[in-house]
Amino acid sequence: MKTKIIRVKDDQIDNSELEVIDEAFKAGKLVVFPTETVYGLGANGLDEEASMNIFRAKGRPADNPLILHIAEVSQIRELVDEIPDIAVNLIDMFWPGPLTLIFKRSKMISDVITGGLDTVAIRMPSHPLARKILQHTRLPIAAPSANLSGKPSPTSLERVVEDLDGKVDIIVDGGRTNYGIESTVVDLTENPPIILRPGGVTTEDLKVIVPDIRTDSTILDASDDRIPKSPGQKYKHYAPIAECYTFAGALDIIVKNINKQIRENADKKIAVLATEETKDSYEGAYMVINLGSRDNLIEVAHNLFEALRQCDDSKVDVIYAEGFEFRGLGVGIMNRLLKASSGRVIFGL
């Protein structure tokens, strides 16, 4: 298959290009497009065969649920069995935006979308280009991240092309995405609701609307022994080729421990994922990547997956990543780092 690339500047896509994308969706084809989180690999969520093609293109396990993306709140009614009152409040506050909500599914939703579960995950992205595409097609679009299964999610056209060129019909180039990590997922079928995946909408944000919201105990767990109700729960995710280790604890201890590991592994090609505050603290590493300031975790999240990809580009032997506090957006960042590290954490004592 030859992949067509539609290049869009400043989110200004013309009607003829939107029509090409719409026709592709309605023909059961695969279209990659940017969202505010990462690039998504989209197909008509009401077309079972088209949705199956997502799994084939990504090499994604079939029991890993997909998220449906919509343009208007009114589209929810035919996709879900019921809309609880709490959903209305969360939608009013956070949609469009990086929040996915899990509902009891309607009969029109295929098992392919839900991984055989009786629930369906839905979100309304805020990226202007994604919104134009979804508003034009009016279809619920199933769209996981546009990468090969297990690899770091793509935040740019170049990374999508690396993984999916020749495997999808169309890629829409909208430049770098904003958040850099995927949406927060909240399960509304539980009482009280539960956060299954941390992301751009933080626990603190959600508690304004749902004071008793809980956090799934497996968020900081890299094991694969559960039935996934949300993408990112079960399988190895965001993994670079090299072994990755996450260092947790006080920042000065993190720096000390990483430098100790660098000295003890001088024969290896080492990459350090550092921050603005520490980037000049490491000697002997092959490369030090500055994720951004600890005072701006949006910047850190924005750069994280691209940094992991850069480590793959440089064919490093091992990656040492600085950890972050388990609060605010730091929870989402640590969730991705622990997945990338397959649970390999070094705690500072």
Side-chain angles (χ1 to χ4, degrees):
M1 163 190 318
K2 182 173 177 57
T3 298
K4 174 183 177 66
I5 297 178
I6 297 176
R7 299 183 185 276
V8 179
K9 185 176 181 181
D10 298 326
D11 303 318
Q12 298 303 308
I13 188 168
D14 63 42
N15 197 66
S16 63
E17 291 170 325
L18 287 171
E19 194 61 32
V20 167
I21 294 167
D22 181 40
E23 290 175 0
F25 280 136
K26 289 174 178 171
K29 296 181 178 181
L30 299 179
V31 179
V32 174
F33 59 95
T35 76
E36 74 277 19
T37 57
V38 298
Y39 272 77
L41 168 55
N44 180 355
L46 302 180
D47 183 330
E48 190 168 286
E49 184 61 26
S51 299
M52 280 298 300
N53 285 335
I54 291 175
F55 292 91
R56 297 181 183 116
K58 283 177 63 74
R60 181 185 179 96
D63 68 341
N64 201 359
L66 301 174
I67 295 172
L68 293 179
H69 293 63
I70 61 173
E72 304 294 341
V73 175
S74 59
Q75 291 177 265
I76 295 179
R77 297 191 187 99
E78 64 178 4
L79 305 176
V80 307
D81 184 53
E82 62 177 337
I83 304 174
D85 291 341
I86 194 65
V88 176
N89 295 334
L90 288 169
I91 287 167
D92 286 345
M93 177 66 76
F94 298 112
W95 278 14
L99 176 66
T100 295
L101 299 177
I102 293 181
F103 302 84
K104 289 289 185 181
R105 77 186 209 187
S106 73
K107 293 180 180 178
M108 73 183 300
I109 303 299
S110 164
D111 283 349
V112 172
I113 297 295
T114 68
L117 300 174
D118 64 354
T119 55
V120 62
I122 303 174
R123 93 174 185 97
M124 184 191 294
S126 62
H127 192 291
L129 191 50
R131 290 195 56 71
K132 289 175 183 177
I133 290 170
L134 292 168
Q135 286 167 347
H136 189 89
T137 189
R138 306 299 298 181
L139 291 168
I141 299 300
S145 55
N147 55 292
L148 294 177
S149 188
K151 293 187 68 175
S153 300
T155 57
S156 68
L157 168 72
E158 293 74 20
R159 299 307 186 183
V160 175
V161 169
E162 282 179 17
D163 283 6
L164 297 179
D165 187 29
K167 297 182 179 182
V168 300
D169 299 279
I170 297 172
I171 300 173
V172 182
D173 175 17
R176 282 286 300 274
T177 61
N178 296 327
Y179 281 90
I181 62 173
E182 300 86 349
S183 62
T184 302
V185 178
V186 174
D187 185 358
L188 299 180
T189 68
E190 298 282 344
N191 187 22
I194 185 168
I195 300 169
L196 299 183
R197 182 178 73 182
V201 176
T202 68
T203 302
E204 292 82 356
D205 295 332
L206 292 165
K207 283 188 173 180
V208 173
I209 304 297
V210 192
D212 59 347
I213 196 167
R214 297 172 295 150
T215 299
D216 185 72
S217 61
T218 64
I219 275 180
L220 299 177
D221 177 7
S223 62
D224 282 358
D225 57 352
R226 70 191 75 104
I227 297 172
K229 206 171 183 181
S230 161
Q233 274 195 298
K234 179 177 179 181
Y235 295 99
K236 185 178 181 182
H237 277 68
Y238 327 121
I241 295 169
E243 278 195 353
C244 182
Y245 295 83
T246 299
F247 290 71
L251 185 57
D252 59 335
I253 302 299
I254 286 175
V255 172
K256 180 180 177 180
N257 283 342
I258 289 178
N259 276 320
K260 180 174 182 289
Q261 292 295 322
I262 293 171
R263 290 192 299 271
E264 292 177 355
N265 295 279
D267 59 327
K268 293 183 178 180
K269 198 173 179 181
I270 294 170
V272 177
L273 302 190
T275 47
E276 179 65 31
E277 293 79 1
T278 62
K279 61 184 173 60
D280 298 323
S281 302
Y282 301 106
E283 294 184 6
Y286 175 76
M287 61 190 298
V288 176
I289 300 176
N290 179 9
L291 296 176
S293 172
R294 288 177 171 271
D295 293 329
N296 185 357
L297 293 186
I298 291 177
E299 178 185 24
V300 173
H302 174 75
N303 291 326
L304 178 58
F305 286 150
E306 177 59 26
L308 292 171
R309 291 269 186 166
Q310 289 175 21
C311 292
D312 283 351
D313 293 344
S314 298
K315 297 180 171 59
V316 300
D317 299 315
V318 64
I319 301 167
Y320 297 141
E322 295 179 2
F324 296 83
E325 290 187 55
F326 296 113
R327 61 182 177 85
L329 192 53
V331 178
I333 293 168
M334 284 298 287
N335 170 260
R336 279 27 173 222
L337 280 174
L338 293 179
K339 290 285 187 179
S341 304
S342 298
R344 291 183 290 260
V345 184
I346 296 176
F347 292 93
L349 299 176

